Amino acid sequence: MTHFVEAPHIACDIGIVHLGLGAFHRAHQAVYLARHLERSGDTAWGLCSANLRSSVGLVDGLRAAGHRYHVAEFTDSNNVTLREIGVMQETLFTGRDSTGQQGRDLEALLTRLASSKVRIVTLTVTEKGYFLSPTSGNLLVEDPMIEADIASPDAPQTAPGILVEALARRRAAGLSPFTVLSCDNMPDNGRRTRNAVVQLAAQRDSELADWISHRGAFPCSMVDRIVPAMTETDFARLGELGVDDPNAVVCEAFSQWVIEDDFPQGRPAWEAEGVEMVADVAPFETMKLRMLNGSHSLLAYLGAIDGIETVFEAVSRPEFRTLLRRYMMQEAAPTLHMPDGVDLERYADDLLARFANDSLRHRLAQIAMDGSQKLPQRWLQGAVARLQDGHEVPCTALGLAAWIRYTSGVSLDGRQHEVSDPLASRFLALHERHGDAPEALVAAFLAQEDIIPVALTAQQDVVDAVTDGYRRLITTGLAASLSTL
Ligand code: NAI
Ligand code: CS2
């Protein structure tokens, strides 16, 4: 069954600016705002969405479409809600466009951010977009992009740089800071965002940094909706449903948003749309990152090195479902501290059902991206906790072995694949230096202390488990490795 939901044409003030106009933003935050607008008629929370480095075509395509697009929410391949979204009022691009011009709309974005009507900034710029060390959580001040923003603070290119310049303008104009709400898959994402902004501000003006630190609000949030990158198959399927929209996104019907309620300048009444406003997001964030995202990364690396393409394909194999259930219930769930009433067995079952949604072509290659930025919160912090409780982490160890193999760019049968990661060149150098000698190669990867916690590599049995896992993968293949597990 196909259910169409059209969007009324309602002129809004722009109260929220979003950085990172990607698929997830269009299918998650913008949907909650659109439903809020349609239900309440509250026109204070129109949306300006900006891309800082890629997808200028999407920015211009949405402008050409009057900033209206479609979200196809699939319960399964036979049931979909086609929702038109009309809450977006402006789209901007501040990266380098096809003519080589840098920062086409930068001044427009900074002016928008300095407007008294803008009271919230949300972000989905991926884990790497904050320029933070995955282990220490501190700003990577030696990153060339951050160095450039320190040298030219009034012409920022990074998300932290844009936030600092906008906050500096608001302070100079006597305005309060906007609230900064990260919607990225990072633990403690609000506090990590605060780190990036305050530490960058301190590079230019300690009084500005103090002002942001004391007056700024950076609530944490847990976000959840599976939104795969669009494929030609997806566009063709929407075409069959009568939707010809190059800016459309496809996603599952499930959606969840848990937000720390800290909005000094006010916020939309998100509760009416099912958003959970809480005092402490941490338990929900850790649960989701370790159980959902940790499972996703296991599928991504173990599946991709064996030529499996999608989540649906992987979980169609019983050995993967067994692996995920064992990982979730024996290595992730025991490390969680949930409020009464949260049933983790039920949550694990629900996740396996969501992964088996036959209408989503969620590519393992997309999930495998940026592993250096994802694995600390998805596997490694939980593994350290589990080991400190005296338990082994065999699923995580095999996952690490698969990740190491994945970063070589060569699958188990010799086929090549792209390795998309900010540290890809470092990983390639390690492979070139150590070849397929499991002991030396694994030791070299586990010695990367900016990714792998020392508390993990101090456990020799973990090092041995990863080494044995790597050796089994390259000598006996995936099926045998999983059955041995
Ligand atoms: P996408 O590829 O459609 O969009 C990524 C966005 O991040 C783009 O706007 C891109 O320009 C921006 N970006 C990438 N690197 C950046 C950088 N260094 N500085 C500034 N902007 C940068 O990906 P999608 O699906 O929108 O996911 C984005 C983030 O949303 C994820 O990394 C994750 O943190 C979060 N998320 C995604 C979910 C999904 O299922 N797709 C679900 C839950 C959270
Ligand atoms: C995925 C997430 O790409 C990935 O790393 O694990 O984007 C995942 O789809 C979402 O977190 C689901 O909420």
Side-chain angles (χ1 to χ4, degrees):
M1 183 190 78
T2 301
H3 176 49
F4 288 89
V5 179
E6 290 191 5
H9 288 260
I10 304 174
C12 295
D13 286 326
I14 292 177
I16 297 186
V17 173
H18 182 83
L19 306 183
L21 170 51
F24 182 60
H25 168 60
R26 279 175 280 154
H28 186 270
Q29 302 95 49
V31 171
Y32 282 106
L33 273 180
R35 286 165 46 181
H36 168 71
L37 171 63
E38 289 153 27
R39 180 195 305 272
S40 68
D42 179 354
T43 59
W45 301 107
L47 188 55
C48 162
S49 299
N51 264 328
L52 314 185
R53 51 181 269 160
S54 61
S55 309
V56 61
L58 175 61
V59 169
D60 294 341
L62 281 166
R63 279 187 189 171
H67 301 108
R68 300 169 78 84
Y69 66 93
H70 294 84
V71 179
E73 303 169 335
F74 280 91
T75 304
D76 56 42
S77 53
N78 299 315
N79 294 282
V80 57
T81 296
L82 279 172
R83 187 184 301 277
E84 186 185 29
I85 303 297
V87 72
M88 211 173 272
Q89 309 290 309
E90 181 179 51
T91 51
L92 300 172
F93 182 71
T94 65
R96 188 176 301 281
D97 66 18
S98 56
T99 67
Q101 182 192 359
Q102 172 70 39
R104 181 186 81 181
D105 301 330
L106 178 60
E107 191 50 38
L109 176 59
L110 292 170
T111 302
R112 176 66 67 195
L113 286 163
S115 156
S116 59
K117 288 184 175 176
V118 170
R119 291 182 277 166
I120 298 173
V121 176
T122 54
L123 299 97
T124 53
V125 292
T126 78
E127 297 88 340
K128 60 184 177 294
Y130 298 81
F131 295 90
L132 294 169
S133 159
T135 45
S136 72
N138 288 321
L139 185 69
L140 298 172
V141 290
E142 294 174 4
D143 182 285
M145 293 285 287
I146 294 295
E147 285 180 335
D149 280 2
I150 293 170
S152 309
D154 55 355
Q157 298 180 45
T158 69
I162 285 168
L163 292 173
V164 170
E165 174 60 16
L167 288 166
R169 294 191 185 192
R170 292 177 74 96
R171 178 173 176 250
L175 292 174
S176 298
F178 37 66
T179 298
V180 180
L181 176 62
S182 170
C183 300
D184 275 299
N185 279 329
M186 294 187 304
D188 226 7
N189 51 11
R191 267 160 289 286
R192 287 170 67 88
T193 307
R194 171 193 288 271
N195 274 357
V197 171
V198 170
Q199 290 180 18
L200 183 58
Q203 295 286 332
R204 72 186 263 182
D205 175 347
S206 59
E207 290 181 5
L208 173 62
D210 289 344
W211 181 78
I212 296 170
S213 184
H214 292 104
R215 294 281 309 279
F218 295 78
C220 292
S221 79
M222 183 274 261
V223 292
D224 189 3
R225 177 168 245 188
I226 295 176
V227 185
M230 289 294 282
T231 65
E232 286 312 313
T233 305
D234 294 322
F235 284 113
R237 189 169 36 166
L238 293 185
E240 290 163 8
L241 296 171
V243 172
D244 178 16
D245 178 354
N247 309 313
V249 285
V250 164
C251 61
E252 63 176 335
F254 177 90
S255 188
Q256 185 178 16
W257 201 2
V258 184
I259 305 177
E260 214 166 28
D261 201 356
D262 178 15
F263 292 80
Q265 310 309 325
R267 62 173 175 79
W270 277 310
E271 302 89 333
E273 307 317 323
V275 176
E276 300 158 75
M277 302 305 297
V278 300
D280 181 10
V281 172
F284 301 94
E285 212 176 46
T286 308
M287 173 188 74
K288 191 259 182 174
L289 285 168
R290 291 183 187 173
M291 290 189 70
L292 187 158
N293 295 111
S295 295
H296 255 184
S297 293
L298 278 178
L299 293 177
Y301 299 116
L302 286 161
I305 63 172
D306 200 46
I308 300 171
E309 288 209 0
T310 65
V311 169
F312 174 70
E313 202 182 328
V315 296
S316 299
R317 292 167 58 162
E319 62 270 29
F320 269 112
R321 288 201 302 277
T322 302
L323 169 76
L324 293 193
R325 193 157 178 73
R326 175 176 178 185
Y327 162 75
M328 284 195 273
M329 296 318 297
Q330 296 181 19
E331 298 187 21
T335 69
L336 303 176
H337 308 289
M338 302 310 297
D340 293 343
V342 175
D343 179 346
L344 292 176
E345 286 272 2
R346 171 71 186 277
Y347 183 67
D349 290 338
D350 290 348
L351 288 179
L352 290 173
R354 288 172 59 192
F355 292 165
N357 186 329
D358 62 350
S359 63
L360 301 180
R361 286 191 48 76
H362 201 175
R363 291 177 301 110
L364 297 182
Q366 179 182 2
I367 299 170
M369 289 168 63
D370 299 343
S372 65
Q373 313 294 308
K374 295 178 177 180
L375 296 187
Q377 56 267 26
R378 295 183 178 204
W379 291 349
L380 306 180
Q381 290 157 12
V384 167
R386 199 67 181 128
L387 290 162
Q388 285 169 346
D389 285 347
H391 297 273
E392 296 178 344
V393 288
C395 301
T396 302
L398 185 61
L400 277 168
W403 169 69
I404 292 170
R405 177 62 188 204
Y406 182 84
T407 60
S408 72
V410 181
S411 59
L412 294 175
D413 66 1
R415 278 176 295 173
Q416 295 189 336
H417 57 259
E418 183 197 359
V419 178
S420 180
D421 190 297
L423 304 181
S425 54
R426 183 200 301 182
F427 300 147
L428 192 57
L430 292 177
H431 282 283
E432 287 170 350
R433 188 176 317 143
H434 300 287
D436 256 350
E439 289 79 0
L441 181 67
V442 168
F445 268 84
L446 297 185
Q448 303 303 308
E449 294 181 10
D450 56 341
I451 308 167
I452 313 288
V454 173
L456 192 78
T457 48
Q459 309 264 346
Q460 189 54 46
D461 54 352
V462 174
V463 177
D464 294 344
V466 179
T467 306
D468 292 345
Y470 190 90
R471 183 179 296 109
R472 281 205 302 275
L473 283 170
I474 63 173
T475 55
T476 67
L478 177 70
S481 300
L482 289 175
S483 61
T484 306
L485 191 66

